[in-house]
Structure formats: C-alpha cells, structure tokens
Amino acid sequence: MKIFVTQNELSNHLIPFYNDKSTIGFVPTMGALHQGHLSLLETAKQENSLVIISIFVNPTQFNNPEDLKKYPRTLQSDVEKIKKISTDIIVYAPTVEDIYKGKTVSEHFNFDGLENQMEGKYRTGHFDGVGTIVKELFKIVKPTNAYFGEKDFQQLQIIRKLTSKYKIPVNIIGCPILRETNGLAMSSRNERLSSIERKEASIIYKTLLEAKTLFKTKSAKEVMNWVASVFNENKKFELEYFEIADEDQLLPCNRKNKSKKYRAFIAVFVNNIRLIDTISLN
Ligand code: PAF
C-alpha cells in the first residue's frame, strides 16, 4: 500500500496514470475515518481506475483552536481501515509544512454568498480554509471525480462553486449521509462523545425527521419555533442554529416556493462538541 507524505512524491507517482488516461477518484478527508468515509472510498473504487484518499487535518478551517487541538489524529488505524477496502488505494498524508510552505493562512474567497449562511455565520473563516485546502489538493491530485459526504451539504455546494468559478476540471460527487443505528449522522467528532451522549444525540435526527413532517403543512418559521422549543426543553443539547434553506443558494426560506428544493440544517453542541446534520425536505 502506497502512503505519500509529500506532494512531490505523490505527483511523480501519478504521472503515468495521467498519461494512460486512467480515471482518478479522490476522497479528501481529515482522517479519523468512519463508515461514512469508507463508503465514499467504496463508491470511488467502483467508479474509477485509481483511488486516492488524503488525510490532513487542515488548520486553516478551524475557527476554534481547542477544536483543532482535540481533533482526532489516528493515521495508523485509518490506514488499516483503508487496507481492508483495498491495498491499491493511495494515501496522501502530508504535513502542514508540505501544504502551506511556512505560510499557514487561507486565501479569501467569494462563493456568491454561500459562505455567509449557517456554518459561515458561526465559523468565521471556515470556508476560506476549506476552499484553500480543497483548491490546493485538486491542484496536487488532479482528480477526475471527487467525493464528499452530504452531511456537510453547505461545504459540498461551496466546493461545486469553487470548481465552477476556478474552472477546475473535476466532477464533484455528493454521497448520502451514513447514520449510526440511532440515526446520529456519522462523524469523526462522535468519537469524542460519551456513550450516553452518543445515545442521546439521536435527538438531532429525530428532530430533523419531525421537522420534515411538519414542513409539509407548516411554514418554515413555525417549524423553526418548534425546533427551538425542543432544545429549550433539553438542556444537555444546546442548539446553535436550525435553518430551512433552499439547496442552491442556501438562502433562508421565508415563503415556500414549489419550484425550489429545501433542506433543514442543524448545529448542536453537547458538552462543547459540535455536531451538524441536514435532511432534504421535499
Ligand atoms: O470534510 C472534510 O473532512 C474537510 O472539510 C475537507 C473537505 C477534507 C477539507 O479539509
């Protein structure tokens, strides 16, 4: 199994694959791999002749230094999990120096307003950091297809915008959210929850499902008020935001428009651990 830690080594290794017109499937991650990541790898494996996964905890996308410090780094066990899918998958696990060359700062992006909603409001600079690293990784890997989970739906739309604005020739493929048996969306952060918190975190998906039912007959405002009341009654889970927005522009739904596709988005804190989730509403 090939593991590269520098872009030079990776780029040299990839030259013959570009020449023989292989399709390259790319799964960018920050490691601490769970079943959700592995399903992205499986899909990439089915659809491409070569698969590359990057494992890099990108410092510029963390607005909270404590979150960056505590982010799980588990390269050894990640590699074991990848091997179980296939030893042909190439791992790119660079250092911060290899990516940022001594200047660990973000480029500033205009994603036509997508960056100002939800996660962008609460995590200042987050999408500049995501844009910076994903643009750089695309430049290094030059993938044919790149795979992202729909849990980070806003990120997915921003990456689509990034590739269209910068004319990066890659297909962006959004993949469905994988859930634990109680409905909790799979996330590397779930590892930091106690077993009780993890069980009780089912409240997030249960609330989204109920919101979806309510949205059939109620306005977005009424659904938002109901969600706020659920979390007012549950002091263990602190609601950061619940939003109903259209999928394309991610603008809050003030009045329902039949021609638009809507989604509910939620961010919740439990014991200082931030969990997000989303569901399609129509
Ligand atoms: O979704 C993630 O894990 C990260 O935001 C990404 C896309 C790998 C960029 O660091």
Side-chain angles (χ1 to χ4, degrees), residues 116-232:
N116 299 327
Q117 306 302 323
M118 300 173 293
E119 292 297 285
K121 272 190 206 150
Y122 291 91
R123 302 185 68 188
T124 314
H126 171 66
F127 289 120
D128 279 339
V130 171
T132 303
I133 185 63
V134 172
K135 190 166 162 239
E136 185 62 22
L137 289 169
F138 284 167
K139 200 168 96 191
I140 298 167
V141 176
K142 300 184 192 62
T144 324
N145 301 306
Y147 298 79
F148 295 87
E150 283 185 349
K151 181 169 78 70
D152 298 291
F153 192 84
Q154 187 173 6
Q155 166 174 281
L156 175 64
Q157 296 301 62
I158 280 179
I159 291 167
R160 290 194 166 119
K161 182 70 81 179
L162 172 85
T163 57
S164 85
K165 282 206 156 185
Y166 289 86
K167 300 191 173 36
I168 306 172
V170 53
N171 303 313
I172 302 301
I173 297 163
C175 301
I177 300 175
L178 257 72
R179 298 186 177 279
E180 302 191 358
T181 39
N182 70 354
L184 176 64
M186 288 193 184
S187 162
S188 305
R189 288 194 173 85
N190 296 354
E191 296 305 315
R192 290 173 52 201
L193 300 171
S194 70
S195 56
I196 297 213
E197 286 161 354
R198 199 157 175 162
K199 204 166 133 229
E200 291 178 359
S202 61
I203 184 176
I204 301 169
Y205 187 51
K206 273 199 197 123
T207 306
L208 286 183
L209 285 174
E210 185 61 28
K212 181 174 173 133
T213 307
L214 287 175
F215 190 65
K216 291 188 184 28
T217 53
K218 308 260 186 242
S219 70
K221 188 86 203 125
E222 285 169 315
V223 180
M224 286 166 75
N225 288 342
W226 175 78
V227 172
S229 73
V230 168
F231 285 93
N232 266 336

Side-chain angles (χ1 to χ4, degrees), residues 246-249 251 255 257-262 282:
D246 71 281
E247 290 197 349
D248 290 335
Q249 291 178 289
L251 291 173
R255 188 175 305 156
N257 176 335
K258 281 210 170 68
S259 64
K260 287 191 174 165
K261 279 197 75 34
Y262 292 105
N282 60 333

